[in-house]
Amino acid sequence: MLDVLRKIVQEVNSAETVRLALDLMARRVRDAMGTEVCSIYLLDDSGQRYVLMASEGLKPEAIGNVSLGLSEGLVGQVGLREEPVNLENAHTHPKFHYLAETGEDPFHAFLGVPVIHHGKVLGVLVIQQRDSRRFDQSEEAFLVTISAQLSAVVAHARATGQLQAMDTGDTHTAFYDGMSACQGAVIGEAVLLYPPADLSSVPDRAAEDVEEEISRLDSALVQVRSEVRELAERASRSLGREEQALFEVYLRMLDRHALPGEVVTRIREGHWAQGALRMVVDEHVRNFELMDDAYLRERAADVRDIGRRVLAYLQTGSRRQQDFPENAVLIGDEITTPMLMEVPRDKVTGIATRVGSRNSHMAIVARAMGIPTVVGAQGLPLKQMDGAEVIIDGYRGRVISNPGAELREQFEQIIEEERTLQAGLEKLRDEPARTTDGLAMEVMVNTGLMTDIARSLDRGAEGVGLYRTEIPFMVRDRFPSEEEQRVIYREQLQAFAPRPVTMRTLDVGGDKSLPYFPIEEENPFLGWRGIRLTLDHPEIFMVQVRAMLKASEGLNNLRIMLPMVTSVIEVEEAQHLIHRAWLEVREEGMDIPMPPVGVMIEVPAAVYQARALAQRVDFLSVGTNDLTQYLLAVDRNNRQVADLYSSWHPAVLQAIIHVVEQAHEEGKPVSVCGEMAGDPGSALILMAMGVNTLSMSASNLLKVKAAIRQVSAMFARQLLNEVLAMDNSEVISAYVDLQLEKAGLEELLGRRRNIQ
Ligand code: PEP
Ligand code: MG
């Protein structure tokens, strides 16, 4: 049965339209279960009637024309009870409602199961048979399983407007949910970034002349290398010199001894160059794709990208460049950083991808460039969308195609308001983040790429509260050397000096990993992450700390921060290593003071150890992104449970209060460097809790500063007290919004507005 089920699901999922998917489902289920009828009833738009949408066995003319009210007939009964109804003879049931149009008179046995998605009934799946008999338990279980699968198809079709447009065939407004990788809203023309050539369609062929094939490969490689060098140059102009590293990785992959070497071997075995290339690329891609880790799967995208570029030259000897409109929204299955670099910067308005994660390199780059981006919008019908008008709602993580006039106007207004707001905020650049009654907050930025530096300084950051060192590690194909790291760190420290720069030691594991250091685990978020990994590899840790120390020579603005700490012993071990590294660099003749060392509070254990941790270090910094995930047991990257992920949860608020109290008892300052610090409402609440520093993405800095400057500390404290009496995150969030609106901060909240 499992096999049958898998086949049905596969077929239904690959059906081109909802109509086909529903018809297929009805047919396959009827055949698999050996019954005479299988029908699918779905709730209509009003949510008040179940409409017969597909059937095998009932009269075809009834499809789309027959419907039942919410409590009408056995179908209504299944929906009301939200559980299967299994009857030997439907006709004798008091709720039976005879529908002459369907021709169901001869069928006695009835089994109906609800189609439920995220707790909501979407429809009812029914099988019927002539014989009077009760369907057995295994049949019931099978239908329940099928219905769970059907619910995903229906929910998706409903969300994307396909269900509504099923019969009209109109171009309709459709919504596709993904994850926001960069906030902001834009309206533009979708441009499908199609690959330069299609590797999968290359046939197997024998090489007629092996040497000739090798020389064709070589000349294609020469052209691709020069193309990549040009992209590297562009990237360094828009992102900073450091970003060349990714392209160096590409170039190394294109080295005659690397990937091409393997292709040559295949050619010598008798394959033509194109076929040999496909085989080698497929093999590498397969290896990467087997990895659980989202980032490593992205490396598969890089290899595929290289393969397609080489193939394009093998096939035509040249590359056709795509044209882009002025307001291009780039759409694609996966979009790599080099693909993004290929498009002139002034033409890219937004980005949307079907796969990919928020921590991919492209997403990090998009954020740094301020391009509203949605990733992981699985249902995007790329080919149909090409050329259509689309809205990228990066606040909500949503792509909207063919918006109606009203929706378009609403977004135009949001975009305009945001533009005016930003223009108005610029004057705050050199003003302090001080409340009307004189409480001063330190506002800092989170950085990773070189390009973050300029944006942060532009907005008057008082320092760096979190420099994510894993980012320069991600773009390479090996660990950067001590000297390479020193140069990168020096640039950060120098740019902000004399302001402090808080460098976090390598935080990989979980959803962030390095292509050259794969970690395979059942539960990566509960596994080898952050400090756990670097303490197991003191050589990596020592090189990094030495590089940080050396980079700070003469500047003395370095602070070191340890991620994912769960116990005191980890801190002691890390401090011991930092001390050793410090002695070493001093022995090498450098006069560098010992930098302040801090700990990130990201897991519940660290919350309860806050006092003991504060005794040993110079500062604590709350990473609310991870703390929320671990306190609430909600994966921060899982769309399925995204509604449950909220830093407004009372448990998160209580945890932060506890950390602040404990640290202050020890006379140590506390900062917050998770997303929470960058939201005007929660920033005020954190301020009221006594948090000393807020560190956030540069794009939120001026908004947060504006919020702080418009209220008094007393207002914030009162708001906090009110919030602490509430026990529900949604109520808290709505209440804070309301109070901020009343206090005249409405424009700063614009981005939270929910538009359906
Ligand atoms: C956090 O967890 O809140 C944090 C700032 O670290 P990251 O988002 O890099 O895990
Ligand atoms: Mg974290």
Side-chain angles (χ1 to χ4, degrees):
M1 265 321 201
L2 207 59
D3 263 355
V4 178
L5 186 76
R6 195 174 304 131
K7 253 176 89 191
I8 297 180
V9 171
Q10 259 170 10
E11 270 188 281
V12 168
N13 281 339
S14 50
E16 292 216 340
T17 63
V18 212
R19 151 91 37 239
L20 289 175
L22 295 179
D23 289 348
L24 206 82
M25 175 80 93
R27 196 170 331 130
R28 293 284 181 264
V29 171
R30 190 188 70 158
D31 294 351
M33 300 193 70
T35 62
E36 276 126 1
V37 178
C38 174
S39 313
I40 301 171
Y41 294 83
L42 297 181
L43 268 186
D44 65 4
D45 262 357
S46 70
Q48 298 303 313
R49 294 196 75 78
Y50 291 105
V51 181
L52 178 66
M53 300 297 278
S55 180
E56 277 294 311
L58 296 185
K59 286 186 182 160
E61 53 273 27
I63 297 171
N65 295 318
V66 162
S67 69
L68 288 154
L70 288 185
S71 54
E72 214 174 355
L74 294 171
V75 166
Q77 199 60 14
V78 175
L80 277 183
R81 289 171 53 177
E82 300 189 359
E83 60 180 2
V85 170
N86 189 349
L87 302 170
E88 195 177 321
N89 188 350
H91 300 235
T92 60
H93 193 280
K95 276 285 174 188
F96 179 70
H97 182 96
Y98 177 62
L99 292 168
E101 308 91 310
T102 61
E104 63 178 337
D105 321 41
F107 309 111
H108 294 99
F110 173 100
L111 171 60
V113 299
V115 180
I116 300 183
H117 188 73
H118 281 312
K120 283 209 184 80
V121 177
L122 304 180
V124 176
L125 177 61
V126 174
I127 53 172
Q128 289 171 281
Q129 200 163 4
R130 274 172 209 275
D131 308 344
S132 284
R133 68 156 184 120
R134 249 180 93 82
F135 288 97
D136 68 26
Q137 295 225 343
S138 67
E139 288 168 312
E140 195 175 308
F142 182 80
L143 204 64
V144 168
T145 316
I146 279 283
S147 157
Q149 303 284 344
L150 175 62
S151 72
V153 175
V154 175
H156 179 250
R158 188 174 289 283
T160 56
Q162 293 177 54
L163 212 51
Q164 296 83 324
M166 208 158 113
D167 296 314
T168 57
D170 291 348
T171 340
H172 51 277
T173 305
F175 301 88
Y176 305 91
D177 284 325
M179 287 174 296
S180 164
C182 177
Q183 302 232 326
V186 285
I187 303 174
E189 179 181 334
V191 180
L192 174 59
L193 286 192
Y194 51 84
D198 180 11
L199 267 172
S200 64
S201 60
V202 171
D204 284 338
R205 256 184 225 165
E208 281 174 18
D209 177 342
V210 167
E211 292 313 319
E212 171 65 22
E213 290 299 305
I214 293 177
S215 103
R216 294 188 50 222
L217 174 70
D218 280 337
S219 69
L221 289 171
V222 169
Q223 301 186 72
V224 177
R225 283 190 205 112
S226 101
E227 182 179 303
V228 172
R229 276 193 209 98
E230 201 179 302
L231 291 178
E233 177 56 32
R234 267 199 217 176
S236 74
R237 260 181 276 133
S238 54
L239 294 172
R241 210 161 20 87
E242 174 50 23
E243 289 315 300
Q244 298 226 350
L246 177 67
F247 297 89
E248 279 161 21
V249 172
Y250 263 52
L251 287 173
R252 265 198 294 280
M253 284 199 232
L254 286 164
D255 190 277
R256 187 65 150 78
H257 303 291
L259 214 98
E262 293 175 43
V263 182
V264 169
T265 308
R266 295 287 181 138
I267 297 175
R268 292 210 185 281
E269 284 166 11
H271 299 282
W272 69 320
Q274 296 188 25
L277 176 71
R278 191 206 66 219
M279 289 170 196
V280 171
V281 169
D282 277 357
E283 203 178 313
H284 284 271
V285 165
R286 249 196 321 273
N287 288 340
F288 276 119
E289 279 183 342
L290 282 179
M291 312 266 182
D292 272 342
D293 180 276
Y295 180 71
L296 290 178
R297 281 198 305 270
E298 300 236 351
R299 269 293 139 112
D302 288 338
V303 175
R304 222 179 347 242
D305 188 19
I306 287 186
R308 287 162 174 167
R309 286 171 196 273
V310 177
L311 181 64
Y313 285 107
L314 277 176
Q315 285 177 336
T316 61
S318 67
R319 275 268 324 265
R320 203 178 72 75
Q321 296 298 330
Q322 249 179 294
D323 291 328
F324 297 95
E326 285 310 313
N327 55 349
V329 169
L330 309 180
I331 59 169
D333 213 29
E334 49 193 8
I335 295 181
T336 59
T337 305
M339 285 161 84
L340 173 58
M341 285 302 128
E342 232 154 343
V343 188
R345 172 68 190 95
D346 56 336
K347 299 209 165 163
V348 188
T349 327
I351 303 171
T353 68
R354 259 210 295 228
V355 294
S357 79
R358 270 189 286 209
N359 286 327
S360 73
H361 189 256
M362 186 282 286
I364 293 168
V365 165
R367 269 198 293 281
M369 292 165 85
I371 307 170
T373 299
V374 172
V375 294
Q378 288 164 356
L380 288 184
L382 298 170
K383 285 190 205 121
Q384 287 107 294
M385 250 174 126
D386 190 30
E389 182 175 64
V390 286
I391 293 176
I392 298 289
D393 179 357
Y395 298 125
R396 189 170 173 173
R398 187 172 247 202
V399 183
I400 305 168
S401 69
N402 302 308
E406 200 185 323
L407 202 55
R408 190 177 203 291
E409 264 167 40
Q410 283 177 313
F411 271 92
E412 277 168 353
Q413 201 184 336
I414 291 183
I415 294 166
E416 188 46 40
E417 279 171 14
E418 185 68 23
R419 209 183 339 246
T420 326
L421 175 66
Q422 288 300 341
L425 290 176
E426 270 160 30
K427 62 178 188 301
L428 295 182
R429 184 183 173 241
D430 298 317
E431 300 296 330
R434 192 184 297 138
T435 58
T436 51
D437 50 356
L439 175 71
M441 279 304 285
E442 199 172 32
V443 286
M444 298 203 182
V445 278
N446 296 346
T447 60
L449 295 174
M450 290 294 172
T451 181
D452 291 327
I453 298 178
R455 293 173 67 239
S456 308
L457 292 172
D458 268 358
R459 291 169 171 80
E462 294 173 49
V464 177
L466 165 64
Y467 169 53
R468 292 184 163 102
T469 58
E470 61 273 10
I471 294 175
F473 278 66
M474 275 167 74
V475 288
R476 294 185 153 70
D477 54 1
R478 58 173 171 74
F479 283 105
S481 68
E482 183 177 311
E483 179 54 17
E484 280 171 325
Q485 290 187 50
R486 189 193 66 78
V487 172
I488 303 167
Y489 301 157
R490 178 88 186 164
E491 204 151 339
Q492 286 275 331
L493 291 163
Q494 209 155 26
F496 287 93
R499 289 163 281 205
V501 174
T502 315
M503 298 202 160
R504 174 169 76 184
T505 60
L506 191 62
D507 184 23
V508 292
D511 62 335
K512 300 181 262 192
S513 58
L514 306 171
Y516 44 89
F517 195 75
I519 305 167
E520 280 186 54
E521 293 174 316
E522 287 281 327
N523 268 316
F525 276 117
L526 302 183
W528 211 34
R529 279 196 69 177
I531 194 80
R532 302 174 183 180
L533 186 149
T534 46
L535 285 181
D536 283 347
H537 278 280
E539 75 288 9
I540 299 173
F541 189 81
M542 287 291 281
V543 165
Q544 184 171 41
V545 173
R546 283 167 53 91
M548 288 177 180
L549 291 169
K550 286 184 176 175
S552 74
E553 193 184 18
L555 300 171
N556 303 338
N557 59 341
L558 167 68
R559 290 146 48 104
I560 296 179
M561 184 157 83
L562 309 170
M564 265 300 283
V565 167
T566 35
S567 57
V568 167
I569 185 88
E570 290 166 335
V571 177
E572 288 173 345
E573 269 182 56
Q575 281 175 317
H576 174 72
L577 291 175
I578 294 172
H579 192 73
R580 229 176 69 199
W582 179 68
L583 288 177
E584 283 173 15
V585 294
R586 281 177 74 91
E587 263 167 36
E588 287 171 31
M590 289 181 195
D591 181 22
I592 295 163
M594 181 70 182
V597 174
V599 160
M600 285 191 79
I601 307 291
E602 298 185 280
V603 295
V607 172
Y608 293 108
Q609 290 280 91
R611 182 102 188 230
L613 292 167
Q615 279 162 5
R616 285 165 177 81
V617 294
D618 301 296
F619 64 93
L620 299 185
S621 184
V622 188
T624 48
N625 306 340
D626 274 317
L627 186 60
T628 304
Q629 138 163 297
Y630 290 120
L631 267 177
L632 307 186
V634 177
D635 180 342
R636 63 195 247 190
N637 297 314
N638 185 343
R639 270 180 47 208
Q640 195 76 1
V641 285
D643 288 348
L644 300 177
Y645 183 95
S646 168
S647 301
W648 286 118
H649 194 291
V652 178
L653 302 181
Q654 292 294 348
I656 304 172
I657 289 179
H658 180 76
V659 172
V660 174
E661 280 171 2
Q662 299 294 301
H664 286 180
E665 292 271 337
E666 292 300 324
K668 304 290 165 61
V670 178
S671 71
V672 171
C673 61
E675 298 292 320
M676 218 181 154
D679 173 85
S682 47
L684 293 183
I685 292 292
L686 293 170
M687 178 180 78
M689 289 177 181
V691 168
N692 307 85
T693 307
L694 298 172
S695 188
M696 65 206 82
S697 140
S699 45
N700 294 331
L701 195 104
L702 291 177
K703 273 189 208 170
V704 167
K705 206 190 255 196
I708 294 172
R709 289 175 60 81
Q710 280 177 55
V711 301
S712 66
M714 227 169 56
F715 166 86
R717 279 191 209 110
Q718 191 180 337
L719 188 58
L720 173 64
N721 281 336
E722 286 159 357
V723 158
L724 290 180
M726 300 174 183
D727 57 8
N728 174 318
S729 30
E730 279 174 33
V731 175
I732 295 178
S733 162
Y735 185 76
V736 171
D737 275 3
L738 186 71
Q739 295 308 311
L740 262 54
E741 263 175 47
K742 280 196 189 157
L745 275 70
E746 190 182 356
E747 51 171 10
L748 297 175
L749 300 172
R751 62 191 204 78
R752 287 231 213 104
R753 207 175 347 191
N754 256 356
I755 288 192
Q756 286 306 317

